[in-house]
PDB file of all heavy atoms in Angstrom:
ATOM      1  N   LYS A  17      87.328  13.637  56.255  1.00  0.00           N
ATOM      2  CA  LYS A  17      88.000  14.490  55.258  1.00  0.00           C
ATOM      3  C   LYS A  17      86.975  15.224  54.402  1.00  0.00           C
ATOM      4  O   LYS A  17      87.233  16.447  54.086  1.00  0.00           O
ATOM      5  CB  LYS A  17      88.899  13.654  54.455  1.00  0.00           C
ATOM      6  CG  LYS A  17      89.718  14.394  53.440  1.00  0.00           C
ATOM      7  CD  LYS A  17      90.758  13.628  52.783  1.00  0.00           C
ATOM      8  CE  LYS A  17      91.475  14.290  51.637  1.00  0.00           C
ATOM      9  NZ  LYS A  17      91.984  15.575  51.849  1.00  0.00           N
ATOM     10  N   ARG A  18      85.946  14.584  54.047  1.00  0.00           N
ATOM     11  CA  ARG A  18      84.874  15.246  53.186  1.00  0.00           C
ATOM     12  C   ARG A  18      84.237  16.388  53.959  1.00  0.00           C
ATOM     13  O   ARG A  18      84.100  17.507  53.412  1.00  0.00           O
ATOM     14  CB  ARG A  18      83.782  14.257  52.809  1.00  0.00           C
ATOM     15  CG  ARG A  18      84.250  13.315  51.733  1.00  0.00           C
ATOM     16  CD  ARG A  18      83.141  12.476  51.286  1.00  0.00           C
ATOM     17  NE  ARG A  18      83.638  11.371  50.465  1.00  0.00           N
ATOM     18  CZ  ARG A  18      82.927  10.352  50.115  1.00  0.00           C
ATOM     19  NH1 ARG A  18      81.667  10.256  50.530  1.00  0.00           N
ATOM     20  NH2 ARG A  18      83.476   9.418  49.372  1.00  0.00           N
ATOM     21  N   ARG A  19      83.958  16.246  55.222  1.00  0.00           N
ATOM     22  CA  ARG A  19      83.394  17.361  56.022  1.00  0.00           C
ATOM     23  C   ARG A  19      84.362  18.479  56.138  1.00  0.00           C
ATOM     24  O   ARG A  19      84.101  19.635  55.983  1.00  0.00           O
ATOM     25  CB  ARG A  19      83.042  16.785  57.403  1.00  0.00           C
ATOM     26  CG  ARG A  19      81.742  16.174  57.415  1.00  0.00           C
ATOM     27  CD  ARG A  19      81.303  15.933  58.887  1.00  0.00           C
ATOM     28  NE  ARG A  19      80.714  14.598  58.904  1.00  0.00           N
ATOM     29  CZ  ARG A  19      80.684  13.797  59.886  1.00  0.00           C
ATOM     30  NH1 ARG A  19      81.119  14.190  61.047  1.00  0.00           N
ATOM     31  NH2 ARG A  19      80.006  12.673  59.853  1.00  0.00           N
ATOM     32  N   ALA A  20      85.679  18.151  56.292  1.00  0.00           N
ATOM     33  CA  ALA A  20      86.738  19.174  56.462  1.00  0.00           C
ATOM     34  C   ALA A  20      86.792  19.914  55.099  1.00  0.00           C
ATOM     35  O   ALA A  20      86.955  21.165  55.131  1.00  0.00           O
ATOM     36  CB  ALA A  20      88.070  18.550  56.834  1.00  0.00           C
ATOM     37  N   ASP A  21      86.684  19.210  54.024  1.00  0.00           N
ATOM     38  CA  ASP A  21      86.859  19.841  52.684  1.00  0.00           C
ATOM     39  C   ASP A  21      85.620  20.866  52.475  1.00  0.00           C
ATOM     40  O   ASP A  21      85.756  21.913  51.894  1.00  0.00           O
ATOM     41  CB  ASP A  21      86.811  18.843  51.571  1.00  0.00           C
ATOM     42  CG  ASP A  21      88.073  18.034  51.501  1.00  0.00           C
ATOM     43  OD1 ASP A  21      89.157  18.550  51.998  1.00  0.00           O
ATOM     44  OD2 ASP A  21      88.106  16.975  50.878  1.00  0.00           O
ATOM     45  N   LEU A  22      84.428  20.412  52.928  1.00  0.00           N
ATOM     46  CA  LEU A  22      83.310  21.328  52.785  1.00  0.00           C
ATOM     47  C   LEU A  22      83.402  22.510  53.698  1.00  0.00           C
ATOM     48  O   LEU A  22      83.072  23.622  53.287  1.00  0.00           O
ATOM     49  CB  LEU A  22      81.980  20.510  53.195  1.00  0.00           C
ATOM     50  CG  LEU A  22      81.539  19.494  52.236  1.00  0.00           C
ATOM     51  CD1 LEU A  22      80.392  18.663  52.880  1.00  0.00           C
ATOM     52  CD2 LEU A  22      81.169  20.038  50.889  1.00  0.00           C
ATOM     53  N   LEU A  23      83.911  22.385  54.898  1.00  0.00           N
ATOM     54  CA  LEU A  23      84.079  23.562  55.798  1.00  0.00           C
ATOM     55  C   LEU A  23      85.141  24.405  55.390  1.00  0.00           C
ATOM     56  O   LEU A  23      85.122  25.644  55.723  1.00  0.00           O
ATOM     57  CB  LEU A  23      84.254  22.999  57.236  1.00  0.00           C
ATOM     58  CG  LEU A  23      83.095  22.244  57.873  1.00  0.00           C
ATOM     59  CD1 LEU A  23      83.518  21.734  59.159  1.00  0.00           C
ATOM     60  CD2 LEU A  23      81.933  23.231  58.073  1.00  0.00           C
ATOM     61  N   LYS A  24      86.170  23.918  54.618  1.00  0.00           N
ATOM     62  CA  LYS A  24      87.286  24.729  54.203  1.00  0.00           C
ATOM     63  C   LYS A  24      86.738  25.955  53.366  1.00  0.00           C
ATOM     64  O   LYS A  24      87.317  27.020  53.510  1.00  0.00           O
ATOM     65  CB  LYS A  24      88.206  23.875  53.351  1.00  0.00           C
ATOM     66  CG  LYS A  24      89.573  24.619  53.163  1.00  0.00           C
ATOM     67  CD  LYS A  24      90.474  23.694  52.331  1.00  0.00           C
ATOM     68  CE  LYS A  24      90.815  22.361  53.018  1.00  0.00           C
ATOM     69  NZ  LYS A  24      91.724  21.551  52.312  1.00  0.00           N
ATOM     70  N   VAL A  25      85.733  25.735  52.629  1.00  0.00           N
ATOM     71  CA  VAL A  25      85.264  26.826  51.841  1.00  0.00           C
ATOM     72  C   VAL A  25      84.761  28.055  52.717  1.00  0.00           C
ATOM     73  O   VAL A  25      84.952  29.182  52.407  1.00  0.00           O
ATOM     74  CB  VAL A  25      83.972  26.366  50.970  1.00  0.00           C
ATOM     75  CG1 VAL A  25      83.230  27.575  50.377  1.00  0.00           C
ATOM     76  CG2 VAL A  25      84.401  25.398  49.909  1.00  0.00           C
ATOM     77  N   PHE A  26      84.214  27.758  53.857  1.00  0.00           N
ATOM     78  CA  PHE A  26      83.749  28.762  54.764  1.00  0.00           C
ATOM     79  C   PHE A  26      84.798  29.334  55.733  1.00  0.00           C
ATOM     80  O   PHE A  26      84.635  30.280  56.399  1.00  0.00           O
ATOM     81  CB  PHE A  26      82.562  28.219  55.558  1.00  0.00           C
ATOM     82  CG  PHE A  26      81.404  27.900  54.675  1.00  0.00           C
ATOM     83  CD1 PHE A  26      81.144  26.565  54.445  1.00  0.00           C
ATOM     84  CD2 PHE A  26      80.590  28.775  54.119  1.00  0.00           C
ATOM     85  CE1 PHE A  26      80.091  26.246  53.616  1.00  0.00           C
ATOM     86  CE2 PHE A  26      79.520  28.510  53.314  1.00  0.00           C
ATOM     87  CZ  PHE A  26      79.267  27.193  53.017  1.00  0.00           C
ATOM     88  N   LEU A  27      85.913  28.725  55.642  1.00  0.00           N
ATOM     89  CA  LEU A  27      87.092  29.114  56.517  1.00  0.00           C
ATOM     90  C   LEU A  27      88.083  30.020  55.734  1.00  0.00           C
ATOM     91  O   LEU A  27      89.100  30.313  56.245  1.00  0.00           O
ATOM     92  CB  LEU A  27      87.765  27.931  57.072  1.00  0.00           C
ATOM     93  CG  LEU A  27      86.914  27.067  57.984  1.00  0.00           C
ATOM     94  CD1 LEU A  27      87.704  25.799  58.464  1.00  0.00           C
ATOM     95  CD2 LEU A  27      86.405  27.857  59.178  1.00  0.00           C
ATOM     96  N   ARG A  28      87.762  30.309  54.482  1.00  0.00           N
ATOM     97  CA  ARG A  28      88.629  31.125  53.655  1.00  0.00           C
ATOM     98  C   ARG A  28      88.584  32.554  54.147  1.00  0.00           C
ATOM     99  O   ARG A  28      87.461  33.031  54.549  1.00  0.00           O
ATOM    100  CB  ARG A  28      88.226  31.081  52.212  1.00  0.00           C
ATOM    101  CG  ARG A  28      88.424  29.706  51.632  1.00  0.00           C
ATOM    102  CD  ARG A  28      87.698  29.519  50.284  1.00  0.00           C
ATOM    103  NE  ARG A  28      88.192  30.434  49.284  1.00  0.00           N
ATOM    104  CZ  ARG A  28      87.595  30.654  48.125  1.00  0.00           C
ATOM    105  NH1 ARG A  28      86.517  30.019  47.817  1.00  0.00           N
ATOM    106  NH2 ARG A  28      88.185  31.434  47.270  1.00  0.00           N
ATOM    107  N   THR A  29      89.727  33.211  54.122  1.00  0.00           N
ATOM    108  CA  THR A  29      89.697  34.597  54.650  1.00  0.00           C
ATOM    109  C   THR A  29      89.150  35.512  53.584  1.00  0.00           C
ATOM    110  O   THR A  29      89.015  35.140  52.381  1.00  0.00           O
ATOM    111  CB  THR A  29      91.237  35.005  54.859  1.00  0.00           C
ATOM    112  OG1 THR A  29      91.933  35.110  53.685  1.00  0.00           O
ATOM    113  CG2 THR A  29      91.941  34.136  55.834  1.00  0.00           C
ATOM    114  N   ASP A  30      88.781  36.679  54.038  1.00  0.00           N
ATOM    115  CA  ASP A  30      88.282  37.672  53.140  1.00  0.00           C
ATOM    116  C   ASP A  30      89.231  38.069  52.047  1.00  0.00           C
ATOM    117  O   ASP A  30      88.861  38.221  50.850  1.00  0.00           O
ATOM    118  CB  ASP A  30      87.851  38.982  53.945  1.00  0.00           C
ATOM    119  CG  ASP A  30      86.578  38.703  54.806  1.00  0.00           C
ATOM    120  OD1 ASP A  30      85.725  37.785  54.454  1.00  0.00           O
ATOM    121  OD2 ASP A  30      86.402  39.500  55.748  1.00  0.00           O
ATOM    122  N   GLU A  31      90.504  38.101  52.393  1.00  0.00           N
ATOM    123  CA  GLU A  31      91.512  38.443  51.391  1.00  0.00           C
ATOM    124  C   GLU A  31      91.661  37.323  50.386  1.00  0.00           C
ATOM    125  O   GLU A  31      91.817  37.638  49.239  1.00  0.00           O
ATOM    126  CB  GLU A  31      92.886  38.665  52.107  1.00  0.00           C
ATOM    127  CG  GLU A  31      93.945  39.249  51.134  1.00  0.00           C
ATOM    128  CD  GLU A  31      93.450  40.456  50.386  1.00  0.00           C
ATOM    129  OE1 GLU A  31      92.891  41.392  50.843  1.00  0.00           O
ATOM    130  OE2 GLU A  31      93.827  40.482  49.098  1.00  0.00           O
ATOM    131  N   GLU A  32      91.584  36.124  50.782  1.00  0.00           N
ATOM    132  CA  GLU A  32      91.536  34.977  49.812  1.00  0.00           C
ATOM    133  C   GLU A  32      90.413  35.091  48.806  1.00  0.00           C
ATOM    134  O   GLU A  32      90.534  34.847  47.637  1.00  0.00           O
ATOM    135  CB  GLU A  32      91.576  33.667  50.461  1.00  0.00           C
ATOM    136  CG  GLU A  32      92.850  33.278  51.216  1.00  0.00           C
ATOM    137  CD  GLU A  32      92.721  32.041  52.090  1.00  0.00           C
ATOM    138  OE1 GLU A  32      91.622  31.797  52.653  1.00  0.00           O
ATOM    139  OE2 GLU A  32      93.712  31.334  52.249  1.00  0.00           O
ATOM    140  N   LEU A  33      89.284  35.434  49.328  1.00  0.00           N
ATOM    141  CA  LEU A  33      88.045  35.594  48.476  1.00  0.00           C
ATOM    142  C   LEU A  33      88.308  36.721  47.488  1.00  0.00           C
ATOM    143  O   LEU A  33      87.933  36.655  46.322  1.00  0.00           O
ATOM    144  CB  LEU A  33      86.806  35.783  49.391  1.00  0.00           C
ATOM    145  CG  LEU A  33      86.373  34.600  50.222  1.00  0.00           C
ATOM    146  CD1 LEU A  33      85.263  35.025  51.239  1.00  0.00           C
ATOM    147  CD2 LEU A  33      85.849  33.440  49.333  1.00  0.00           C
ATOM    148  N   ALA A  34      88.749  37.882  48.032  1.00  0.00           N
ATOM    149  CA  ALA A  34      88.986  39.035  47.175  1.00  0.00           C
ATOM    150  C   ALA A  34      90.043  38.750  46.096  1.00  0.00           C
ATOM    151  O   ALA A  34      89.750  39.163  44.962  1.00  0.00           O
ATOM    152  CB  ALA A  34      89.475  40.202  48.005  1.00  0.00           C
ATOM    153  N   THR A  35      90.992  37.976  46.469  1.00  0.00           N
ATOM    154  CA  THR A  35      92.053  37.676  45.441  1.00  0.00           C
ATOM    155  C   THR A  35      91.422  36.777  44.291  1.00  0.00           C
ATOM    156  O   THR A  35      91.708  36.969  43.183  1.00  0.00           O
ATOM    157  CB  THR A  35      93.174  36.894  46.123  1.00  0.00           C
ATOM    158  OG1 THR A  35      93.811  37.767  47.025  1.00  0.00           O
ATOM    159  CG2 THR A  35      94.237  36.404  45.063  1.00  0.00           C
ATOM    160  N   GLU A  36      90.580  35.795  44.699  1.00  0.00           N
ATOM    161  CA  GLU A  36      89.966  34.943  43.722  1.00  0.00           C
ATOM    162  C   GLU A  36      89.034  35.748  42.828  1.00  0.00           C
ATOM    163  O   GLU A  36      89.049  35.568  41.574  1.00  0.00           O
ATOM    164  CB  GLU A  36      89.127  33.867  44.429  1.00  0.00           C
ATOM    165  CG  GLU A  36      88.395  32.896  43.440  1.00  0.00           C
ATOM    166  CD  GLU A  36      87.630  31.842  44.006  1.00  0.00           C
ATOM    167  OE1 GLU A  36      87.926  31.469  45.232  1.00  0.00           O
ATOM    168  OE2 GLU A  36      86.721  31.370  43.343  1.00  0.00           O
ATOM    169  N   ILE A  37      88.281  36.686  43.359  1.00  0.00           N
ATOM    170  CA  ILE A  37      87.398  37.486  42.578  1.00  0.00           C
ATOM    171  C   ILE A  37      88.149  38.368  41.567  1.00  0.00           C
ATOM    172  O   ILE A  37      87.902  38.437  40.416  1.00  0.00           O
ATOM    173  CB  ILE A  37      86.491  38.408  43.442  1.00  0.00           C
ATOM    174  CG1 ILE A  37      85.600  37.551  44.253  1.00  0.00           C
ATOM    175  CG2 ILE A  37      85.732  39.450  42.637  1.00  0.00           C
ATOM    176  CD1 ILE A  37      84.878  38.198  45.419  1.00  0.00           C
ATOM    177  N   ARG A  38      89.336  38.936  42.118  1.00  0.00           N
ATOM    178  CA  ARG A  38      90.089  39.810  41.202  1.00  0.00           C
ATOM    179  C   ARG A  38      90.668  38.965  39.960  1.00  0.00           C
ATOM    180  O   ARG A  38      90.727  39.355  38.879  1.00  0.00           O
ATOM    181  CB  ARG A  38      91.306  40.335  41.942  1.00  0.00           C
ATOM    182  CG  ARG A  38      91.030  41.594  42.718  1.00  0.00           C
ATOM    183  CD  ARG A  38      92.230  42.143  43.371  1.00  0.00           C
ATOM    184  NE  ARG A  38      91.971  42.793  44.567  1.00  0.00           N
ATOM    185  CZ  ARG A  38      92.131  42.334  45.842  1.00  0.00           C
ATOM    186  NH1 ARG A  38      92.708  41.089  46.004  1.00  0.00           N
ATOM    187  NH2 ARG A  38      91.763  42.911  46.923  1.00  0.00           N
ATOM    188  N   ARG A  39      91.172  37.803  40.436  1.00  0.00           N
ATOM    189  CA  ARG A  39      91.900  36.910  39.393  1.00  0.00           C
ATOM    190  C   ARG A  39      90.885  36.255  38.343  1.00  0.00           C
ATOM    191  O   ARG A  39      91.196  36.252  37.228  1.00  0.00           O
ATOM    192  CB  ARG A  39      92.703  35.874  40.145  1.00  0.00           C
ATOM    193  CG  ARG A  39      93.565  34.935  39.234  1.00  0.00           C
ATOM    194  CD  ARG A  39      94.336  33.953  40.090  1.00  0.00           C
ATOM    195  NE  ARG A  39      93.640  33.351  41.213  1.00  0.00           N
ATOM    196  CZ  ARG A  39      92.828  32.310  41.085  1.00  0.00           C
ATOM    197  NH1 ARG A  39      92.567  31.771  39.998  1.00  0.00           N
ATOM    198  NH2 ARG A  39      92.281  31.799  42.181  1.00  0.00           N
ATOM    199  N   THR A  40      89.822  35.703  38.951  1.00  0.00           N
ATOM    200  CA  THR A  40      88.939  34.910  38.079  1.00  0.00           C
ATOM    201  C   THR A  40      87.827  35.675  37.379  1.00  0.00           C
ATOM    202  O   THR A  40      87.291  35.262  36.417  1.00  0.00           O
ATOM    203  CB  THR A  40      88.324  33.741  38.868  1.00  0.00           C
ATOM    204  OG1 THR A  40      87.499  34.184  39.886  1.00  0.00           O
ATOM    205  CG2 THR A  40      89.478  32.841  39.397  1.00  0.00           C
ATOM    206  N   ILE A  41      87.476  36.840  37.915  1.00  0.00           N
ATOM    207  CA  ILE A  41      86.359  37.614  37.368  1.00  0.00           C
ATOM    208  C   ILE A  41      86.878  38.925  36.882  1.00  0.00           C
ATOM    209  O   ILE A  41      86.736  39.255  35.634  1.00  0.00           O
ATOM    210  CB  ILE A  41      85.268  37.759  38.448  1.00  0.00           C
ATOM    211  CG1 ILE A  41      84.683  36.403  38.832  1.00  0.00           C
ATOM    212  CG2 ILE A  41      84.063  38.580  37.793  1.00  0.00           C
ATOM    213  CD1 ILE A  41      83.833  36.383  40.031  1.00  0.00           C
ATOM    214  N   VAL A  42      87.381  39.757  37.704  1.00  0.00           N
ATOM    215  CA  VAL A  42      87.749  41.228  37.233  1.00  0.00           C
ATOM    216  C   VAL A  42      88.747  41.193  36.146  1.00  0.00           C
ATOM    217  O   VAL A  42      88.585  41.815  35.167  1.00  0.00           O
ATOM    218  CB  VAL A  42      88.179  41.950  38.507  1.00  0.00           C
ATOM    219  CG1 VAL A  42      88.634  43.399  38.026  1.00  0.00           C
ATOM    220  CG2 VAL A  42      87.043  42.201  39.487  1.00  0.00           C
ATOM    221  N   GLU A  43      89.877  40.476  36.340  1.00  0.00           N
ATOM    222  CA  GLU A  43      90.898  40.416  35.327  1.00  0.00           C
ATOM    223  C   GLU A  43      90.504  39.826  33.980  1.00  0.00           C
ATOM    224  O   GLU A  43      90.906  40.186  32.923  1.00  0.00           O
ATOM    225  CB  GLU A  43      92.203  39.775  35.841  1.00  0.00           C
ATOM    226  CG  GLU A  43      92.858  40.510  36.859  1.00  0.00           C
ATOM    227  CD  GLU A  43      94.040  39.908  37.483  1.00  0.00           C
ATOM    228  OE1 GLU A  43      94.524  38.837  36.950  1.00  0.00           O
ATOM    229  OE2 GLU A  43      94.686  40.399  38.488  1.00  0.00           O
ATOM    230  N   ARG A  44      89.584  38.842  34.058  1.00  0.00           N
ATOM    231  CA  ARG A  44      89.070  38.179  32.790  1.00  0.00           C
ATOM    232  C   ARG A  44      88.034  39.069  32.112  1.00  0.00           C
ATOM    233  O   ARG A  44      88.073  39.167  30.848  1.00  0.00           O
ATOM    234  CB  ARG A  44      88.468  36.907  33.139  1.00  0.00           C
ATOM    235  CG  ARG A  44      89.513  35.829  33.461  1.00  0.00           C
ATOM    236  CD  ARG A  44      88.937  34.472  33.638  1.00  0.00           C
ATOM    237  NE  ARG A  44      89.972  33.452  34.039  1.00  0.00           N
ATOM    238  CZ  ARG A  44      89.773  32.224  34.276  1.00  0.00           C
ATOM    239  NH1 ARG A  44      88.470  31.772  34.243  1.00  0.00           N
ATOM    240  NH2 ARG A  44      90.704  31.485  34.548  1.00  0.00           N
ATOM    241  N   PHE A  45      87.092  39.581  32.841  1.00  0.00           N
ATOM    242  CA  PHE A  45      86.027  40.395  32.199  1.00  0.00           C
ATOM    243  C   PHE A  45      86.387  41.828  31.746  1.00  0.00           C
ATOM    244  O   PHE A  45      85.708  42.393  30.926  1.00  0.00           O
ATOM    245  CB  PHE A  45      84.804  40.354  33.089  1.00  0.00           C
ATOM    246  CG  PHE A  45      84.009  39.070  32.964  1.00  0.00           C
ATOM    247  CD1 PHE A  45      84.373  37.973  33.796  1.00  0.00           C
ATOM    248  CD2 PHE A  45      83.044  38.886  32.065  1.00  0.00           C
ATOM    249  CE1 PHE A  45      83.685  36.754  33.755  1.00  0.00           C
ATOM    250  CE2 PHE A  45      82.366  37.704  31.948  1.00  0.00           C
ATOM    251  CZ  PHE A  45      82.756  36.596  32.776  1.00  0.00           C
ATOM    252  N   PHE A  46      87.250  42.341  32.525  1.00  0.00           N
ATOM    253  CA  PHE A  46      87.642  43.752  32.327  1.00  0.00           C
ATOM    254  C   PHE A  46      89.271  43.919  32.085  1.00  0.00           C
ATOM    255  O   PHE A  46      89.866  44.563  32.883  1.00  0.00           O
ATOM    256  CB  PHE A  46      87.225  44.625  33.520  1.00  0.00           C
ATOM    257  CG  PHE A  46      85.782  44.488  33.850  1.00  0.00           C
ATOM    258  CD1 PHE A  46      85.315  43.861  34.988  1.00  0.00           C
ATOM    259  CD2 PHE A  46      84.781  44.940  32.982  1.00  0.00           C
ATOM    260  CE1 PHE A  46      84.011  43.672  35.273  1.00  0.00           C
ATOM    261  CE2 PHE A  46      83.395  44.734  33.224  1.00  0.00           C
ATOM    262  CZ  PHE A  46      83.024  44.138  34.365  1.00  0.00           C
ATOM    263  N   PRO A  47      89.719  43.214  31.087  1.00  0.00           N
ATOM    264  CA  PRO A  47      91.210  43.191  30.924  1.00  0.00           C
ATOM    265  C   PRO A  47      91.823  44.662  30.750  1.00  0.00           C
ATOM    266  O   PRO A  47      92.947  44.798  31.053  1.00  0.00           O
ATOM    267  CB  PRO A  47      91.425  42.372  29.715  1.00  0.00           C
ATOM    268  CG  PRO A  47      90.115  42.319  28.978  1.00  0.00           C
ATOM    269  CD  PRO A  47      89.048  42.470  29.997  1.00  0.00           C
ATOM    270  N   LEU A  48      91.029  45.495  30.093  1.00  0.00           N
ATOM    271  CA  LEU A  48      91.529  46.843  29.869  1.00  0.00           C
ATOM    272  C   LEU A  48      91.380  47.781  31.045  1.00  0.00           C
ATOM    273  O   LEU A  48      92.144  48.715  31.175  1.00  0.00           O
ATOM    274  CB  LEU A  48      90.966  47.468  28.589  1.00  0.00           C
ATOM    275  CG  LEU A  48      91.143  46.661  27.301  1.00  0.00           C
ATOM    276  CD1 LEU A  48      90.380  47.269  26.126  1.00  0.00           C
ATOM    277  CD2 LEU A  48      92.613  46.545  26.970  1.00  0.00           C
ATOM    278  N   SER A  49      90.420  47.577  31.915  1.00  0.00           N
ATOM    279  CA  SER A  49      90.236  48.432  32.890  1.00  0.00           C
ATOM    280  C   SER A  49      90.315  47.801  34.381  1.00  0.00           C
ATOM    281  O   SER A  49      89.904  48.371  35.337  1.00  0.00           O
ATOM    282  CB  SER A  49      88.840  49.100  32.792  1.00  0.00           C
ATOM    283  OG  SER A  49      87.860  48.158  32.614  1.00  0.00           O
ATOM    284  N   HIS A  50      90.825  46.465  34.468  1.00  0.00           N
ATOM    285  CA  HIS A  50      90.855  45.887  35.765  1.00  0.00           C
ATOM    286  C   HIS A  50      91.584  46.551  36.847  1.00  0.00           C
ATOM    287  O   HIS A  50      91.258  46.423  37.975  1.00  0.00           O
ATOM    288  CB  HIS A  50      91.341  44.364  35.591  1.00  0.00           C
ATOM    289  CG  HIS A  50      92.808  44.261  35.417  1.00  0.00           C
ATOM    290  ND1 HIS A  50      93.299  44.267  34.137  1.00  0.00           N
ATOM    291  CD2 HIS A  50      93.830  44.114  36.249  1.00  0.00           C
ATOM    292  CE1 HIS A  50      94.642  44.138  34.273  1.00  0.00           C
ATOM    293  NE2 HIS A  50      94.946  44.088  35.468  1.00  0.00           N
ATOM    294  N   GLU A  51      92.587  47.375  36.537  1.00  0.00           N
ATOM    295  CA  GLU A  51      93.355  48.063  37.540  1.00  0.00           C
ATOM    296  C   GLU A  51      92.476  49.203  38.212  1.00  0.00           C
ATOM    297  O   GLU A  51      92.874  49.630  39.279  1.00  0.00           O
ATOM    298  CB  GLU A  51      94.656  48.609  36.911  1.00  0.00           C
ATOM    299  CG  GLU A  51      95.586  47.539  36.528  1.00  0.00           C
ATOM    300  CD  GLU A  51      96.861  47.940  35.931  1.00  0.00           C
ATOM    301  OE1 GLU A  51      97.014  49.301  35.741  1.00  0.00           O
ATOM    302  OE2 GLU A  51      97.796  47.143  35.643  1.00  0.00           O
ATOM    303  N   ALA A  52      91.451  49.607  37.500  1.00  0.00           N
ATOM    304  CA  ALA A  52      90.578  50.617  38.065  1.00  0.00           C
ATOM    305  C   ALA A  52      89.427  50.093  38.965  1.00  0.00           C
ATOM    306  O   ALA A  52      88.666  50.834  39.510  1.00  0.00           O
ATOM    307  CB  ALA A  52      89.927  51.487  36.898  1.00  0.00           C
ATOM    308  N   VAL A  53      89.435  48.779  39.103  1.00  0.00           N
ATOM    309  CA  VAL A  53      88.388  48.095  39.863  1.00  0.00           C
ATOM    310  C   VAL A  53      88.920  47.705  41.222  1.00  0.00           C
ATOM    311  O   VAL A  53      89.922  47.035  41.318  1.00  0.00           O
ATOM    312  CB  VAL A  53      87.853  46.863  39.074  1.00  0.00           C
ATOM    313  CG1 VAL A  53      86.827  46.113  40.055  1.00  0.00           C
ATOM    314  CG2 VAL A  53      87.182  47.271  37.822  1.00  0.00           C
ATOM    315  N   LYS A  54      88.337  48.112  42.291  1.00  0.00           N
ATOM    316  CA  LYS A  54      88.703  47.765  43.572  1.00  0.00           C
ATOM    317  C   LYS A  54      87.772  46.687  44.085  1.00  0.00           C
ATOM    318  O   LYS A  54      86.538  46.756  43.998  1.00  0.00           O
ATOM    319  CB  LYS A  54      88.662  48.938  44.509  1.00  0.00           C
ATOM    320  CG  LYS A  54      89.016  48.647  45.949  1.00  0.00           C
ATOM    321  CD  LYS A  54      89.065  49.941  46.853  1.00  0.00           C
ATOM    322  CE  LYS A  54      89.446  49.546  48.224  1.00  0.00           C
ATOM    323  NZ  LYS A  54      89.352  50.753  49.142  1.00  0.00           N
ATOM    324  N   VAL A  55      88.328  45.590  44.684  1.00  0.00           N
ATOM    325  CA  VAL A  55      87.493  44.466  45.194  1.00  0.00           C
ATOM    326  C   VAL A  55      87.904  44.378  46.661  1.00  0.00           C
ATOM    327  O   VAL A  55      89.093  44.237  47.088  1.00  0.00           O
ATOM    328  CB  VAL A  55      87.834  43.120  44.530  1.00  0.00           C
ATOM    329  CG1 VAL A  55      87.075  42.008  45.200  1.00  0.00           C
ATOM    330  CG2 VAL A  55      87.579  43.212  43.021  1.00  0.00           C
ATOM    331  N   THR A  56      86.792  44.485  47.522  1.00  0.00           N
ATOM    332  CA  THR A  56      87.037  44.220  48.945  1.00  0.00           C
ATOM    333  C   THR A  56      86.030  43.229  49.431  1.00  0.00           C
ATOM    334  O   THR A  56      84.887  43.115  48.810  1.00  0.00           O
ATOM    335  CB  THR A  56      86.842  45.560  49.774  1.00  0.00           C
ATOM    336  OG1 THR A  56      85.523  46.089  49.572  1.00  0.00           O
ATOM    337  CG2 THR A  56      87.908  46.604  49.392  1.00  0.00           C
ATOM    338  N   VAL A  57      86.369  42.446  50.407  1.00  0.00           N
ATOM    339  CA  VAL A  57      85.454  41.531  51.035  1.00  0.00           C
ATOM    340  C   VAL A  57      85.570  41.609  52.567  1.00  0.00           C
ATOM    341  O   VAL A  57      86.707  41.684  53.058  1.00  0.00           O
ATOM    342  CB  VAL A  57      85.842  40.035  50.648  1.00  0.00           C
ATOM    343  CG1 VAL A  57      84.946  39.048  51.277  1.00  0.00           C
ATOM    344  CG2 VAL A  57      85.794  39.870  49.075  1.00  0.00           C
TER     345      VAL A  57
END
């Protein structure tokens, strides 16, 4: 189970990564202009 948990990080889709970046970084750091920021992975 521990190995599977470690590998799960690398099995995330590009869209999952982009969603996390939008939610945890872009929306928090740029609350007034986050809609003008495009994130692609």
Side-chain angles (χ1 to χ4, degrees):
K17 182 171 173 50
R18 288 186 189 166
R19 280 190 217 155
D21 290 341
L22 289 173
L23 290 175
K24 193 181 297 184
V25 168
F26 298 103
L27 299 176
R28 295 167 61 192
T29 67
D30 288 338
E31 187 53 42
E32 289 172 327
L33 293 168
T35 298
E36 179 178 341
I37 293 165
R38 279 186 212 99
R39 184 178 40 83
T40 62
I41 299 168
V42 174
E43 290 179 7
R44 287 185 181 177
F45 282 88
F46 308 109
L48 300 176
S49 56
H50 73 272
E51 292 178 359
V53 176
K54 181 178 178 184
V55 177
T56 59
V57 178

